[in-house]
Amino acid sequence: MGHRVITPREQAWQTRPHADGEPARHVTELSEVAGMRHVRANVWRYEPGAAGRRHRHSTQDETFVVLEGTLSIYLGEPPERRDVPAGSLVHVTAGTPLQSVNHGDEDLVVYAHGWPPEDHHAELLDSAV
């Protein structure tokens, strides 16, 4: 098949591990369900106050499209905070440390696209927040 349409009902959300009382992050992994072989794609939903892990990919570029809310992303070393509103895009080249945070008071929804897909986990770094 030359195409695939994925509706919200077909997206299985997984809650990522977080400490008790800490706001959660949720992800729907789209790569496999969409038949993407050469990229990695996810939609992330961050509850108000939720923070991702600060990390760095050795070979994978990442592109983020903010669908709802405002993404606070900490980039580089030392970390520089950029607040990115809905409708905006952030492209991060491989080797750049980053951390995504929702400092807002409503859910943050972000489409994340990675290329080339890494077959190993990113290097985890100390938090910027």
Side-chain angles (χ1 to χ4, degrees):
M1 175 169 32
H3 67 279
R4 179 75 167 101
V5 174
I6 294 142
T7 64
R9 284 187 211 132
E10 296 171 280
Q11 298 174 14
W13 289 94
Q14 302 169 7
T15 300
R16 292 296 185 173
H18 57 286
D20 287 341
E22 186 176 82
R25 297 176 305 136
H26 313 275
V27 65
T28 182
E29 298 176 348
L30 300 176
S31 301
E32 189 172 322
V33 70
M36 298 176 181
R37 293 181 300 221
H38 306 292
V39 299
R40 192 176 75 180
N42 299 309
V43 173
W44 288 90
R45 184 172 56 82
Y46 285 60
E47 295 176 4
R53 305 283 305 267
R54 187 164 179 249
H55 65 282
R56 170 180 25 229
H57 290 282
S58 60
T59 59
Q60 178 179 272
D61 284 7
E62 288 187 289
T63 301
F64 303 92
V65 178
V66 183
L67 303 174
E68 296 178 23
T70 297
L71 167 66
S72 293
I73 189 164
Y74 293 81
L75 298 162
E77 190 64 58
E80 177 188 343
R81 177 178 169 174
R82 299 292 308 263
D83 292 324
V84 184
S88 300
L89 176 144
V90 177
H91 180 74
V92 183
T93 58
T96 304
L98 69 105
Q99 183 174 13
S100 299
V101 180
N102 181 4
H103 289 300
D105 53 6
E106 37 183 70
D107 281 359
L108 165 68
V109 180
V110 176
Y111 171 79
H113 180 96
W115 182 88
E118 290 181 339
D119 58 358
H120 57 281
H121 292 288
E123 175 188 3
L124 296 179
L125 306 167
D126 291 337
S127 180
V129 293

Short mmCIF file of all heavy atoms in Angstrom, two decimals, residues 6 9 17 28-29 33-34 39-40 42 46-47 49 53 55-56 70 81-82 88-90 93-94 99 106 112 122 124:
data_model
loop_
_atom_site.label_atom_id
_atom_site.label_comp_id
_atom_site.label_asym_id
_atom_site.label_seq_id
_atom_site.Cartn_x
_atom_site.Cartn_y
_atom_site.Cartn_z
N ILE A 6 -3.96 7.47 9.69
CA ILE A 6 -4.13 7.05 11.08
C ILE A 6 -5.03 8.06 11.78
O ILE A 6 -4.69 9.24 11.85
CB ILE A 6 -2.78 6.94 11.79
CG1 ILE A 6 -1.99 5.83 11.15
CG2 ILE A 6 -2.95 6.64 13.27
CD1 ILE A 6 -0.61 5.97 10.97
N ARG A 9 -8.49 7.49 16.92
CA ARG A 9 -8.92 6.23 17.57
C ARG A 9 -7.90 5.12 17.39
O ARG A 9 -7.89 4.16 18.16
CB ARG A 9 -10.26 5.79 17.00
CG ARG A 9 -11.39 6.60 17.53
CD ARG A 9 -12.72 6.03 17.09
NE ARG A 9 -13.63 7.16 16.99
CZ ARG A 9 -14.41 7.41 15.97
NH1 ARG A 9 -14.46 6.60 14.97
NH2 ARG A 9 -15.17 8.47 15.97
N PRO A 17 7.08 6.39 32.32
CA PRO A 17 7.33 6.36 33.77
C PRO A 17 7.58 7.76 34.33
O PRO A 17 8.21 8.60 33.68
CB PRO A 17 8.61 5.51 33.87
CG PRO A 17 8.66 4.72 32.61
CD PRO A 17 8.00 5.58 31.56
N THR A 28 2.18 8.41 21.70
CA THR A 28 1.65 7.46 20.74
C THR A 28 2.71 7.31 19.66
O THR A 28 3.13 8.29 19.04
CB THR A 28 0.27 7.86 20.17
OG1 THR A 28 -0.19 6.85 19.28
CG2 THR A 28 0.27 9.20 19.49
N GLU A 29 3.22 6.10 19.53
CA GLU A 29 4.30 5.82 18.59
C GLU A 29 3.68 5.49 17.23
O GLU A 29 2.94 4.53 17.10
CB GLU A 29 5.17 4.70 19.11
CG GLU A 29 5.83 5.08 20.43
CD GLU A 29 6.64 3.97 21.06
OE1 GLU A 29 6.53 2.80 20.63
OE2 GLU A 29 7.40 4.27 22.00
N VAL A 33 2.81 1.69 13.17
CA VAL A 33 1.42 1.66 12.70
C VAL A 33 1.28 2.32 11.33
O VAL A 33 0.44 1.94 10.53
CB VAL A 33 0.45 2.27 13.74
CG1 VAL A 33 0.63 3.75 13.88
CG2 VAL A 33 -0.98 1.93 13.41
N ALA A 34 2.14 3.30 11.04
CA ALA A 34 2.09 3.99 9.75
C ALA A 34 2.96 3.32 8.69
O ALA A 34 2.94 3.71 7.53
CB ALA A 34 2.53 5.44 9.91
N VAL A 39 12.18 6.51 9.21
CA VAL A 39 12.10 7.61 10.17
C VAL A 39 11.42 7.10 11.44
O VAL A 39 10.81 6.03 11.44
CB VAL A 39 11.32 8.84 9.62
CG1 VAL A 39 11.97 9.41 8.39
CG2 VAL A 39 9.88 8.49 9.35
N ARG A 40 11.52 7.91 12.48
CA ARG A 40 10.80 7.62 13.71
C ARG A 40 9.83 8.77 13.94
O ARG A 40 10.22 9.94 13.84
CB ARG A 40 11.78 7.51 14.87
CG ARG A 40 11.15 6.93 16.12
CD ARG A 40 12.17 6.75 17.19
NE ARG A 40 12.45 8.09 17.72
CZ ARG A 40 13.29 8.33 18.69
NH1 ARG A 40 14.00 7.36 19.18
NH2 ARG A 40 13.45 9.55 19.14
N ASN A 42 6.48 10.19 16.51
CA ASN A 42 5.66 10.05 17.70
C ASN A 42 4.85 11.33 17.90
O ASN A 42 5.26 12.40 17.46
CB ASN A 42 6.53 9.87 18.97
CG ASN A 42 7.39 8.65 18.92
OD1 ASN A 42 6.93 7.56 18.64
ND2 ASN A 42 8.68 8.82 19.20
N TYR A 46 2.15 16.21 26.95
CA TYR A 46 2.70 16.52 28.26
C TYR A 46 1.62 17.19 29.10
O TYR A 46 1.05 18.20 28.68
CB TYR A 46 3.87 17.51 28.14
CG TYR A 46 5.17 16.95 27.63
CD1 TYR A 46 5.26 16.36 26.38
CD2 TYR A 46 6.32 17.06 28.40
CE1 TYR A 46 6.46 15.87 25.91
CE2 TYR A 46 7.53 16.58 27.92
CZ TYR A 46 7.59 15.98 26.69
OH TYR A 46 8.79 15.49 26.22
N GLU A 47 1.35 16.64 30.27
CA GLU A 47 0.46 17.31 31.20
C GLU A 47 1.14 18.59 31.70
O GLU A 47 2.37 18.71 31.62
CB GLU A 47 0.15 16.38 32.38
CG GLU A 47 -0.63 15.14 31.96
CD GLU A 47 -0.86 14.17 33.12
OE1 GLU A 47 -0.48 14.48 34.27
OE2 GLU A 47 -1.44 13.09 32.86
N GLY A 49 3.24 20.98 33.64
CA GLY A 49 4.34 20.74 34.56
C GLY A 49 5.22 19.55 34.22
O GLY A 49 6.26 19.34 34.85
N ARG A 53 13.08 13.80 29.63
CA ARG A 53 14.47 13.59 30.04
C ARG A 53 15.38 14.41 29.14
O ARG A 53 15.20 14.45 27.93
CB ARG A 53 14.84 12.11 29.91
CG ARG A 53 13.93 11.16 30.65
CD ARG A 53 14.15 11.09 32.15
NE ARG A 53 15.48 10.80 32.57
CZ ARG A 53 15.95 9.58 32.85
NH1 ARG A 53 15.17 8.54 32.73
NH2 ARG A 53 17.19 9.42 33.25
N HIS A 55 18.46 14.82 26.99
CA HIS A 55 19.19 13.78 26.27
C HIS A 55 19.89 14.34 25.04
O HIS A 55 19.71 15.50 24.68
CB HIS A 55 18.23 12.66 25.86
CG HIS A 55 17.19 13.10 24.86
ND1 HIS A 55 16.07 13.83 25.21
CD2 HIS A 55 17.11 12.92 23.52
CE1 HIS A 55 15.35 14.07 24.14
NE2 HIS A 55 15.96 13.53 23.09
N ARG A 56 20.67 13.47 24.42
CA ARG A 56 21.38 13.82 23.19
C ARG A 56 21.42 12.56 22.32
O ARG A 56 21.74 11.48 22.79
CB ARG A 56 22.80 14.27 23.54
CG ARG A 56 23.71 14.43 22.37
CD ARG A 56 25.13 14.88 22.70
NE ARG A 56 25.59 14.55 24.03
CZ ARG A 56 26.17 15.43 24.86
NH1 ARG A 56 26.35 16.67 24.51
NH2 ARG A 56 26.57 15.05 26.05
N THR A 70 2.38 25.42 24.49
CA THR A 70 3.69 26.03 24.25
C THR A 70 4.76 25.08 24.75
O THR A 70 4.76 24.69 25.92
CB THR A 70 3.82 27.38 24.98
OG1 THR A 70 2.84 28.28 24.45
CG2 THR A 70 5.20 27.99 24.79
N ARG A 81 16.84 28.12 27.17
CA ARG A 81 15.39 27.89 27.07
C ARG A 81 14.81 28.68 25.91
O ARG A 81 15.05 29.88 25.77
CB ARG A 81 14.72 28.31 28.37
CG ARG A 81 13.20 28.18 28.33
CD ARG A 81 12.58 28.56 29.65
NE ARG A 81 11.13 28.68 29.53
CZ ARG A 81 10.34 28.89 30.57
NH1 ARG A 81 10.84 29.01 31.79
NH2 ARG A 81 9.03 29.00 30.38
N ARG A 82 14.01 27.99 25.10
CA ARG A 82 13.24 28.62 24.03
C ARG A 82 11.79 28.22 24.22
O ARG A 82 11.49 27.04 24.37
CB ARG A 82 13.72 28.14 22.64
CG ARG A 82 15.17 28.46 22.31
CD ARG A 82 15.44 29.94 22.12
NE ARG A 82 14.54 30.58 21.19
CZ ARG A 82 14.82 30.82 19.91
NH1 ARG A 82 15.98 30.47 19.41
NH2 ARG A 82 13.94 31.41 19.13
N SER A 88 4.48 26.20 15.54
CA SER A 88 5.91 26.40 15.29
C SER A 88 6.64 25.07 15.15
O SER A 88 6.15 24.02 15.57
CB SER A 88 6.54 27.19 16.44
OG SER A 88 5.92 28.44 16.57
N LEU A 89 7.85 25.15 14.61
CA LEU A 89 8.70 23.99 14.39
C LEU A 89 10.06 24.26 15.00
O LEU A 89 10.58 25.37 14.93
CB LEU A 89 8.83 23.76 12.88
CG LEU A 89 9.76 22.64 12.43
CD1 LEU A 89 9.16 21.97 11.21
CD2 LEU A 89 11.15 23.13 12.11
N VAL A 90 10.64 23.21 15.59
CA VAL A 90 12.02 23.25 16.09
C VAL A 90 12.76 22.09 15.46
O VAL A 90 12.30 20.95 15.52
CB VAL A 90 12.07 23.09 17.63
CG1 VAL A 90 13.51 23.07 18.13
CG2 VAL A 90 11.28 24.17 18.32
N THR A 93 19.74 19.28 15.50
CA THR A 93 20.67 18.38 14.83
C THR A 93 21.27 17.38 15.82
O THR A 93 21.35 17.64 17.02
CB THR A 93 21.79 19.15 14.12
OG1 THR A 93 22.48 19.95 15.08
CG2 THR A 93 21.24 20.03 13.01
N ALA A 94 21.69 16.24 15.30
CA ALA A 94 22.31 15.20 16.10
C ALA A 94 23.46 15.79 16.91
O ALA A 94 24.18 16.66 16.44
CB ALA A 94 22.81 14.08 15.20
N GLN A 99 15.95 19.14 26.04
CA GLN A 99 14.95 18.70 27.01
C GLN A 99 13.66 19.45 26.75
O GLN A 99 13.66 20.67 26.62
CB GLN A 99 15.44 18.95 28.44
CG GLN A 99 14.48 18.43 29.49
CD GLN A 99 15.04 18.55 30.90
OE1 GLN A 99 16.03 19.23 31.14
NE2 GLN A 99 14.39 17.88 31.84
N GLU A 106 -1.92 24.14 30.52
CA GLU A 106 -2.76 23.23 29.74
C GLU A 106 -1.87 22.22 29.05
O GLU A 106 -0.65 22.38 29.02
CB GLU A 106 -3.63 24.00 28.72
CG GLU A 106 -2.99 25.17 28.06
CD GLU A 106 -3.94 25.90 27.12
OE1 GLU A 106 -4.89 26.54 27.60
OE2 GLU A 106 -3.71 25.82 25.91
N ALA A 112 6.80 14.64 17.01
CA ALA A 112 8.26 14.52 16.97
C ALA A 112 8.66 13.56 15.87
O ALA A 112 8.12 12.45 15.76
CB ALA A 112 8.78 14.02 18.31
N ALA A 122 19.12 7.17 23.39
CA ALA A 122 19.86 8.42 23.46
C ALA A 122 20.68 8.46 24.76
O ALA A 122 20.35 7.79 25.73
CB ALA A 122 18.90 9.60 23.42
N LEU A 124 21.47 9.94 28.12
CA LEU A 124 20.72 10.73 29.09
C LEU A 124 21.66 11.67 29.83
O LEU A 124 22.79 11.31 30.17
CB LEU A 124 20.00 9.82 30.08
CG LEU A 124 18.94 8.90 29.46
CD1 LEU A 124 18.31 8.03 30.54
CD2 LEU A 124 17.89 9.72 28.73
#
